[in-house]
Amino acid sequence: MKNPKTPYSFSSILLAAFLAGSHASFAAALDDIRIEVSHETCEGLNDKSLVVYATNLSTGQSIDANFKYDSVPAQQHFILFDAALNPITDRFPKFRPRRLAPNEVAKIGCTFTYRSSPQPPGPLPVPIVITKQSASYVEPGAPQLQQDDARSFAAFYLQGGINECGPGTKPPGQFYLINLHPYARLSASMNLLDDHGARVGALTPSLSPLNVMRVGCSNGASKPGPIITAALEVTAGATITQSAPPQTRTSPIPAPQSTDRREAPVDSPALAPLALGTILRTQDVCAGSVPSGWIKINDSWNPTVCGNPATITYNVWTIEQLSDQTAGAVIHACKGAAPSGWAIVGTLWNPTVCGHPPTNQPNVMAIKRLN
């Protein structure tokens, strides 16, 4: 009598052998990709931002590699505005593919990008760590990778607290254009608009990967409009020999040293006690109560302090001292009850601060000292 299980057992063996072979092929392709941080400076605002290269060590096969880009600390998120100036949430990590020819070395990113700073003038440098996510050898005759939608990599961030940028129909601040693509140059065009939406000028910026450029106040007589056209340009890689690798250091890069807490609170490993009575006007504290004579002006998520929340929770508050303000002084703070001796003179929506609401709702108040 024939064993009915035999064909199925044989098929299972074939499937297991196929999967094992595929896994070995993927693992070999991943091993053939080398990531290195060079000594070459990325074009941009931070001379500490370095170009990151990937090399295909295979001498005979092209490889489709997928790279992971994460922030330091990991998994941060930021409020941006898309090409149409609609608010969006920008989240790390991100993933981008690149096809590398045999022995090709090509740029895949920089060690820093930029976002809005909790304290003006900004911007806030955001460290980036690039790692290998997956890789596979390219079969002969395989189609090219799908082209990127250039508009999806054009975004804006709003830097608040800029004195020359006044209130209006949009949250007040300075708009910066960001190239979100890690290794392609972004060229874009946009109109400059007056208060009635009429065209008064135009901009045609060209941004290197992960770089930013100031484009104008969010309100006023010459504010930037939506992106009209956008294009990406990828710099071709170069073929190298194995005997002459570039002078580099292996990625991932170590986390950077802590910076000034008032400029980049998310990078601080700990929060110092509130320094009442000093010349500091602002201070970062764990979320909770606000000491007398101070007011909350912003909040942020930092998974390394104040309870170490693993998910997005605004566990760090930025507060500002009120006691040394003169009569008539105006401060923008998170919406709430006006402190004694102060009056609310206006409210507005700013999705980049104070709870970061994605929809239009007053979350910021302007208060004026009365006496």
Side-chain angles (χ1 to χ4, degrees), residues 1-366:
M1 181 176 180
K2 294 183 179 180
N3 185 353
K5 295 184 179 181
T6 301
Y8 297 97
S9 300
F10 182 67
S11 299
S12 299
I13 293 172
L14 288 179
L15 178 60
F18 172 77
L19 293 177
S22 299
H23 178 75
S25 176
F26 292 146
L30 199 62
D31 288 341
D32 274 341
I33 296 296
R34 180 178 65 197
I35 295 179
E36 296 168 312
V37 180
S38 73
H39 299 292
E40 178 184 346
T41 302
C42 283
E43 179 183 340
L45 305 177
N46 186 353
D47 60 6
K48 295 182 180 179
S49 184
L50 303 175
V51 177
V52 181
Y53 286 92
T55 303
N56 178 2
L57 301 178
S58 173
T59 60
Q61 289 184 280
S62 296
I63 295 177
D64 284 340
N66 191 30
F67 299 101
K68 177 182 177 181
Y69 302 79
D70 206 352
S71 59
V72 179
Q75 300 180 3
Q76 293 188 74
H77 82 290
F78 301 89
I79 298 297
L80 300 179
F81 297 82
D82 64 14
L85 290 173
N86 297 313
I88 58 173
T89 301
D90 177 56
R91 299 183 185 277
F92 287 94
K94 304 179 182 186
F95 303 88
R96 292 305 310 156
R98 178 147 194 179
R99 177 168 294 180
L100 299 172
N103 277 353
E104 181 184 4
V105 57
K107 296 179 180 180
I108 58 169
C110 297
T111 57
F112 281 88
T113 187
Y114 310 93
R115 294 295 184 270
S116 175
S117 173
Q119 299 298 324
L124 172 70
V126 178
I128 300 295
V129 172
I130 307 175
T131 54
K132 298 180 289 185
Q133 179 70 12
S134 60
S136 60
Y137 293 115
V138 179
E139 296 294 332
Q144 293 296 317
L145 296 177
Q146 183 177 358
Q147 288 189 342
D148 292 318
D149 175 19
R151 278 179 60 88
S152 68
F153 291 93
F156 301 86
Y157 76 72
L158 184 66
Q159 178 60 59
I162 305 298
N163 293 333
E164 59 266 30
C165 294
T169 58
K170 291 187 176 69
Q174 185 85 51
F175 267 134
Y176 283 76
L177 178 66
I178 314 173
N179 178 4
L180 296 177
H181 203 288
Y183 56 83
R185 176 172 287 273
L186 171 71
S187 298
S189 66
M190 69 190 76
N191 289 328
L192 297 175
L193 309 175
D194 64 15
D195 289 329
H196 303 288
R199 182 180 183 273
V200 296
L203 291 175
T204 56
S206 178
L207 285 173
S208 59
L210 302 178
N211 200 7
V212 299
M213 186 186 83
R214 184 170 56 188
V215 293
C217 293
S218 55
N219 299 295
S222 185
K223 55 183 177 289
I227 297 294
I228 300 173
T229 62
L232 293 171
E233 179 185 358
V234 178
T235 302
T239 301
I240 64 168
T241 61
Q242 298 298 322
S243 59
Q247 292 184 349
T248 54
R249 64 170 182 261
T250 302
S251 181
I253 61 173
Q257 296 297 316
S258 298
T259 55
D260 185 344
R261 180 181 301 111
R262 290 168 291 169
E263 180 175 336
V266 295
D267 293 338
S268 304
L271 296 177
L274 180 62
L276 296 173
T278 71
I279 61 173
L280 285 178
R281 296 287 300 278
T282 62
Q283 177 71 45
D284 293 330
V285 297
C286 293
S289 59
V290 177
S292 176
W294 293 70
I295 194 168
K296 177 186 174 185
I297 62 171
N298 201 0
D299 49 30
S300 59
W301 172 48
N302 188 339
T304 67
V305 297
C306 300
N308 307 94
T311 57
I312 297 173
T313 304
Y314 299 114
N315 61 319
V316 177
W317 286 2
T318 301
I319 59 177
E320 182 170 348
Q321 193 171 20
L322 297 176
S323 57
D324 60 348
Q325 299 286 344
T326 59
V330 175
I331 288 178
H332 286 85
C334 296
K335 187 180 178 183
S340 177
W342 293 74
I344 298 176
V345 295
T347 59
L348 56 92
W349 169 52
N350 188 341
T352 68
V353 299
C354 299
H356 309 258
T359 57
N360 193 339
Q361 54 183 288
N363 64 318
V364 176
M365 62 180 181

